[in-house]
């Protein structure tokens, strides 16, 4: 699995008094700090480790994030000591990172597909960076006026261009040969030299570029906090994803029979930037019909089958094992998670930073509809036929 590094060590001097008491990545946008918003956008890639490179007020990060598990990723805080700019502290990861890895900035984000950086076209390539169109960064001095040459190789232009560094990088482990413990700039001291040596590729991403690094931009995002939120398509499981077993439960992989258009429909949602999240009551666990481990194995099989056959990704599954007469006392807890209650929806919204007003739910029962009404989520009953066809029919509402 791939790792990602987030650079969070800067002082944020451009924000003045705002960063005297708190580091810039932890500044609040609405009720979330920016780093949490950033993490909610990258957890879909299922990184093994998320490394936070810490310096300024490092104790905040260690307290909030050290060894925290979010989705399928473990967060590790790395103390780089005194500030070493964007490159000097990375050498501390040399013996921790085993494969190619990503680096992103902790106060900006180019909302594009990180997978576009993973394929190198040239044998000598050491890294690939996301390039974006420079619309209003007149004072940007880090990797601007760049152009793409043949086979995606980056080069500097003698003339002014509208392309600049997007702050997202993918590196081969060979990059560590160019690092040291000195205070160095990843962009100006390392990547710039590698571009001249024809060892850095680029890919243009036309998605929105987010940066909270100046007072004006921070004020804008605070006034428009929904700018960061993600859209989600919530799906019930039984009767929407797989064939409903009347008066019974799915107890093994063989009984999980996919309904028409499920793989194609989920794949389509992936391509138009929806999080795909399953919300399901599974009282079979509380009733002792199957174990929670068995249920998770069925879900793993479901996700793998859809991924392998349709390149369709289910981002997350929230289920309620609650049963009020369960012999296992822990399954009598969390009643609010069971639909038509909305506990699972609230957990998903918080974890993935979901904009409920731009999200949808497809279910097959009145219980699903009641839950949607409680949370003010747009609801559709599952129609006969292809799930893909039904999803495409709603496209005008996106």
């Amino acid at each position: 699995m791939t790792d990602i590094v987030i650079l969070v060590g800067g002082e944020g001097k451009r924000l003045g008094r705002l960063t005297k008491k708190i580091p810039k990545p932890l500044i609040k946008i609405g009720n979330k700090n920016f780093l949490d918003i950033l993490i909610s956008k990258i957890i879909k890639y299922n990184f093994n480790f998320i490394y936070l490179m810490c310096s300024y007020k490092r104790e905040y990060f260690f307290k909030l994030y050290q060894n925290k598990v979010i989705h399928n990723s473990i967060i590790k805080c790395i103390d780089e000591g005194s500030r070493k700019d964007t490159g000097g502290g990375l050498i501390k990861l040399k013996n921790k990172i085993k494969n190619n890895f990503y680096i992103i900035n902790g106060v900006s984000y180019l909302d594009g597909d990180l997978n576009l950086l993973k394929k190198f076209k040239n044998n000598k390539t050491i890294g690939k960076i996301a390039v974006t169109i420079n619309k209003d960064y007149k004072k940007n001095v880090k990797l601007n006026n760049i152009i793409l040459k043949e086979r995606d190789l980056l080069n500097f232009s003698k003339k002014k261009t509208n392309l600049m560094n997007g702050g997202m990088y993918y590196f081969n482990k060979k990059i560590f040969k160019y690092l040291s413990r000195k205070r160095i700039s990843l962009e100006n001291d390392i990547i710039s030299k590698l571009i001249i040596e024809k060892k850095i590729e680029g890919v243009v991403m036309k998605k929105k570029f987010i940066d909270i690094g100046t007072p004006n931009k921070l004020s804008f995002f605070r006034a428009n906090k929904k700018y960061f939120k993600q859209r989600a398509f919530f799906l019930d499981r039984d009767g929407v994803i797989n064939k409903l077993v009347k008066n019974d439960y799915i107890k093994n992989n063989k009984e999980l029979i996919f309904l028409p258009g499920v793989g194609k429909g989920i794949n389509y949602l992936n391509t138009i930037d929806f999080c795909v999240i399953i919300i399901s009551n599974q009282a079979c666990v509380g009733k002792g019909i199957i174990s929670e481990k068995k249920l998770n194995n069925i879900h793993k099989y479901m996700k793998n089958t859809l991924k392998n056959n349709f390149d369709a990704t289910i981002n997350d599954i929230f289920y309620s094992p609650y049963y009020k007469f369960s012999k296992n006392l822990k399954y009598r807890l969390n009643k609010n998670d069971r639909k038509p209650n909305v506990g699972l929806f609230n957990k998903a919204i918080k974890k993935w930073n979901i904009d409920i007003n731009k999200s949808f739910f497809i279910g097959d029962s009145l219980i699903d509809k009641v839950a949607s009404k409680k949370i003010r989520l747009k609801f559709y009953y599952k129609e006969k036929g292809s799930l893909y066809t039904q999803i495409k029919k709603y496209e005008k509402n996106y």
Side-chain angles (χ1 to χ4, degrees), residues 39 81 91 110-111 128 136 158 190 221 280 308 365 389 397:
I39 290 173
I91 194 67
L110 179 58
D111 204 9
K128 196 160 191 169
D136 56 0
K158 294 181 180 179
I190 299 173
F221 290 125
S280 179
N308 293 335
S365 70
T389 301
N397 298 324

Side-chain angles (χ1 to χ4, degrees), residues 371-391:
S372 293
K373 188 175 181 180
K374 285 182 179 180
I375 206 166
R376 298 181 180 179
L377 174 65
K378 190 172 290 184
F379 175 78
Y380 299 98
Y381 276 112
K382 172 66 175 71
E383 299 173 358
K384 291 183 179 180
S386 167
L387 180 65
Y388 169 73
T389 301
Q390 185 177 1
I391 289 170

Side-chain angles (χ1 to χ4, degrees), residues 232-236 239-240 269 274 345 356-373 376-384 387 389-398:
F233 233 110
F234 296 98
L235 302 169
D236 184 33
V240 176
L269 291 172
F274 271 93
F345 288 97
I356 202 71
N357 296 316
K358 294 184 178 180
S359 299
F360 306 83
F361 181 36
I362 294 180
D364 69 330
S365 70
L366 180 60
I367 287 174
D368 294 330
K369 184 177 182 179
V370 172
S372 293
K373 188 175 181 180
R376 298 181 180 179
L377 174 65
K378 190 172 290 184
F379 175 78
Y380 299 98
Y381 276 112
K382 172 66 175 71
E383 299 173 358
K384 291 183 179 180
L387 180 65
T389 301
Q390 185 177 1
I391 289 170
K392 284 287 288 183
K393 188 168 70 173
Y394 305 149
E395 191 161 17
K396 62 181 180 296
N397 298 324
Y398 300 158

